[in-house]
Amino acid sequence: MAKINIDFVSDVACPWCAVGLGGLLEAMRRLEGVAEVDLHFKPFELNPDMPRGGQNTIERLMEKYGYDRERVQANRKVISERAAAVDMPMRMDDDNRSFNTFDAHRLIHWAGLQGQAQQTALKKSLLRTYHYLNQDTSDADVLAQSVREAGLDEAAAREVLASGRYTDEVRAEEEEWRKLGITSVPSVIINGQYLVSGGQPPEAFEQALRQIAEEG
């Protein structure tokens, strides 16, 4: 069986990252028995300077891209539909807020030290917290709830948050990806040499992974 390594560079705040992850996980399911995929989540912050309490998402997107409200709402509707199709439900309300995600990345790093299943479970839980519940991912209690829902050790996670552990590791990884030219997410790096960008559907990931498995 072919072995494939995937670095999934993304941000909890990124709705297209949820779409891409849903597509990738479905593609991995379709390739069971064909390829063994080693999946790692890597940090990237879309809004590293987001203040505590966050900002209205529509207003942020209008400022960032210069779009009017109608275009932002139309784009969000498309994303929401794509996300629902890959079992990543979102609620795109006008009063949604964007939040800082650095502490979420620290916990994702911590979960990754425990194993792929644990890290994937926490990543999915945090995406649900952010995009469906629209809760503040800079709040320790909110993050602890996500950890609990992922089936991980809440007390250990709270200790990570309180201690500042893995701050240096996450910062170093973010800088590493920037140096490698990653400027948008999701960026899916396969076997350290192939890049799949954006929130691709399952078929796109399946085709890429099958081809790499056949070559390898």
Side-chain angles (χ1 to χ4, degrees):
M1 187 185 304
K3 294 185 181 297
I4 297 175
N5 183 81
I6 295 180
D7 289 319
F8 193 93
V9 186
S10 61
D11 190 5
V12 170
C14 166
W16 282 116
C17 295
V19 173
L21 178 58
L24 175 61
L25 292 176
E26 171 59 21
M28 289 168 56
R29 187 191 67 77
R30 296 178 185 179
L31 265 70
E32 288 178 1
V34 176
E36 180 181 333
V37 178
D38 194 11
L39 175 61
H40 306 271
F41 294 100
K42 302 298 183 178
F44 186 100
E45 290 178 88
L46 288 172
N47 309 295
D49 299 322
M50 183 64 65
R52 180 167 293 279
Q55 180 185 8
N56 180 275
T57 297
I58 290 180
E59 293 176 0
R60 178 182 64 80
L61 294 172
M62 290 172 64
E63 291 174 6
K64 183 173 183 177
Y65 296 109
Y67 296 162
D68 60 26
R69 180 174 294 270
E70 288 71 25
R71 181 170 179 182
V72 169
Q73 290 173 323
N75 289 348
R76 297 178 81 212
K77 183 176 185 293
V78 170
I79 296 171
S80 181
E81 291 171 350
R82 288 281 306 278
V86 290
D87 196 28
M88 290 288 187
M90 297 180 180
R91 288 198 295 202
M92 297 285 195
D93 299 327
D94 288 352
D95 60 353
N96 282 161
R97 299 189 70 77
S98 299
F99 300 108
N100 190 282
T101 58
F102 183 73
D103 283 344
H105 285 298
R106 288 201 292 127
L107 288 181
I108 291 168
H109 181 94
W110 162 75
L113 300 176
Q114 301 171 58
Q116 177 174 322
Q118 291 88 337
Q119 193 180 39
T120 301
L122 182 57
K123 180 73 169 184
K124 290 179 66 178
S125 178
L126 287 166
L127 286 168
R128 178 178 181 273
T129 295
Y130 195 104
H131 295 287
Y132 187 76
L133 301 177
N134 194 225
Q135 294 178 341
D136 188 349
T137 46
S138 66
D139 183 280
D141 290 333
V142 169
L143 292 170
Q145 176 182 312
S146 296
V147 167
R148 185 167 62 249
E149 291 176 351
L152 304 183
D153 187 332
E154 180 183 344
R158 285 186 179 275
E159 195 280 328
V160 168
L161 292 171
S163 68
R165 190 177 304 165
Y166 307 124
T167 292
D168 292 344
E169 289 86 345
V170 170
R171 292 294 188 209
E173 285 197 346
E174 289 179 328
E175 180 61 23
E176 177 185 353
W177 293 113
R178 280 194 293 269
K179 287 181 178 178
L180 289 172
I182 300 298
T183 59
S184 63
V185 288
S187 289
V188 185
I189 296 93
I190 306 173
N191 287 346
Q193 52 184 325
Y194 305 102
L195 172 65
V196 179
S197 298
Q200 300 295 334
E203 293 73 20
F205 284 117
E206 181 182 4
Q207 181 180 4
L209 294 178
R210 283 192 185 277
Q211 182 175 344
I212 291 168
E214 291 170 0
E215 293 173 354

